[in-house]
Amino acid sequence: MTIYLVTFMIASLLSFLDFFQQKRTHQIFSIFFAGFLILLVGLRYEVGADWYPYVDIIFPVYKNINFFDIFSFSDPGYGLINYIAQKFNFSIAFVNIVCASIFISGFYKFAKNFHSINGAFLIAIPYMIVVMSMNYTRQTTALGLVLFALSYLINNRIFASFLFIVLASTFHKSAFLFMPFALVYFRDSKFFIYLAILAIPFFAYSIAQLFFEALIDAYLDGAYGSSGSGIRLLINFLAGLTFFAIKSNFYFSRNEETIYNAIAALSIGIFVLSIFIPFTTFFDRIGLYFSIIQIIAFSNLMYLLRPRPVGFLILMPIYFFTLYFWLSNSAYAQSWIPYSFSL
């Protein structure tokens, strides 16, 4: 587990130094660290509970098919990367590097909206990077594209946001959950009602896909199952409450506040629903996307608390313990340990 803890400590050191450096300087360090994370995630070998299903079942499917057959599969974006890898005799490492690049790049662009990109990485490492991106490859890639979409939405580039959500859905249909975020900006258009009606079946399909995948996970008790889902949803819930408690201390553009309010409210709502509807695996699948509320809330909290860096000194040990506890006690951590490079 050493490499995971060392990666976290590097992020911690960079986050701490951000309090004393000019923004341009810590952005340079964050770019190199993002590159390191792409290699860490993309070059993993036999790491993650879903490693063998991806390598032994999904990857070989694309070896002897023609280009147009890609679109007969449910996730053509992911299929296209596999198809290219097979045509050029690349290994699964090529697929993982491309997917990791998409996710980390999307995360980086979204994190630029906050005080410290390295602080955002610190918060993301225990779950979003170590667990999610090394296991749920398709959904995490979709999340990276969704983060691009939200970044464009914040800057009022609605059409670009819409396109990135559609692109994200080619990696995992559940990305259509974020279509309402883009459609709401068409609310004053005469085409809004038509766009909304058109989006309904895609939105319903994304819910259905998450539901059936959750059923499979629950039945097989694999791919993280529902283990720890209550805690993960609780953390998102607390992050949502934290955001509403501290947001008045920050200036957000109208678009930012609309998006962050929605994500925080949904994070709270998902946790509440999970209490009354005993299907935590399903809510955990949805909660994967809304883990970004932790970045929104806690990266801002880190810079709000005075004197600086007291916020860092509170949050860093909490996230370090979270990572260490999962690696030491989770029944699925054995799929992450030891870490091996695909070289």
Side-chain angles (χ1 to χ4, degrees), residues 134-325:
M134 294 190 180
N135 193 54
Y136 300 114
T137 305
R138 292 172 301 130
Q139 193 171 353
T140 308
T141 308
L143 174 58
L145 292 166
V146 165
L147 292 175
F148 272 112
L150 294 179
S151 298
Y152 286 124
L153 203 56
I154 287 171
N155 293 303
N156 216 37
R157 297 177 61 181
I158 314 303
F159 186 69
S161 175
F162 182 84
L163 287 180
F164 268 91
I165 292 174
V166 172
L167 184 59
S169 72
T170 68
F171 285 86
H172 206 276
K173 297 296 187 299
S174 60
F176 272 117
L177 286 170
F178 286 85
M179 188 60 74
F181 283 75
L183 287 178
V184 73
Y185 288 89
F186 289 98
R187 61 184 178 273
D188 296 326
S189 169
K190 62 180 180 181
F191 298 109
F192 173 74
I193 187 65
Y194 302 108
L195 291 171
I197 292 173
L198 183 64
I200 287 174
F202 295 102
F203 185 80
Y205 184 85
S206 68
I207 294 291
Q209 183 180 27
L210 284 172
F211 180 78
F212 286 115
E213 285 188 0
L215 280 177
I216 293 171
D217 279 356
Y219 179 74
L220 297 177
D221 192 31
Y224 221 172
S226 59
S227 176
S229 59
I231 295 175
R232 292 190 291 274
L233 294 173
L234 175 61
I235 294 173
N236 288 353
F237 170 79
L238 295 174
L241 292 180
T242 299
F243 173 75
F244 284 124
I246 69 172
K247 71 172 187 175
S248 61
N249 294 281
F250 298 93
Y251 170 77
F252 297 116
S253 68
R254 182 184 177 187
N255 286 1
E256 276 186 296
E257 187 167 6
T258 299
I259 292 168
Y260 299 161
N261 283 343
I263 293 172
L266 287 167
S267 299
I268 293 169
I270 289 168
F271 174 75
V272 173
L273 284 174
S274 71
I275 295 174
F276 296 100
I277 303 176
F279 192 8
T280 53
T281 310
F282 170 64
F283 291 110
D284 192 33
R285 279 283 184 167
I286 298 177
L288 294 180
Y289 286 112
F290 291 97
S291 297
I292 58 176
I293 186 58
Q294 296 180 42
I295 311 303
I296 296 168
F298 296 143
S299 63
N300 280 314
L301 180 65
M302 193 182 298
Y303 276 77
L304 175 64
L305 298 179
R306 297 289 197 280
R308 293 174 178 172
V310 67
F312 166 84
L313 295 175
I314 293 172
L315 288 170
M316 189 277 281
I318 292 173
Y319 275 93
F320 178 84
F321 175 77
T322 300
L323 176 61
Y324 181 81
F325 182 84

Side-chain angles (χ1 to χ4, degrees), residues 15 20 22 36 95 117 129 149 185 235 263 267 317 326 328 339:
S15 301
F20 310 103
Q22 294 182 350
F36 167 74
V95 177
I117 298 170
I129 293 174
Y185 288 89
I235 294 173
I263 293 172
S267 299
W326 186 83
S328 302
Y339 177 89

Side-chain angles (χ1 to χ4, degrees), residues 87-100:
K87 287 302 176 183
F88 288 93
N89 293 317
F90 296 147
S91 70
I92 191 67
F94 172 82
V95 177
N96 289 336
I97 278 285
V98 173
C99 291

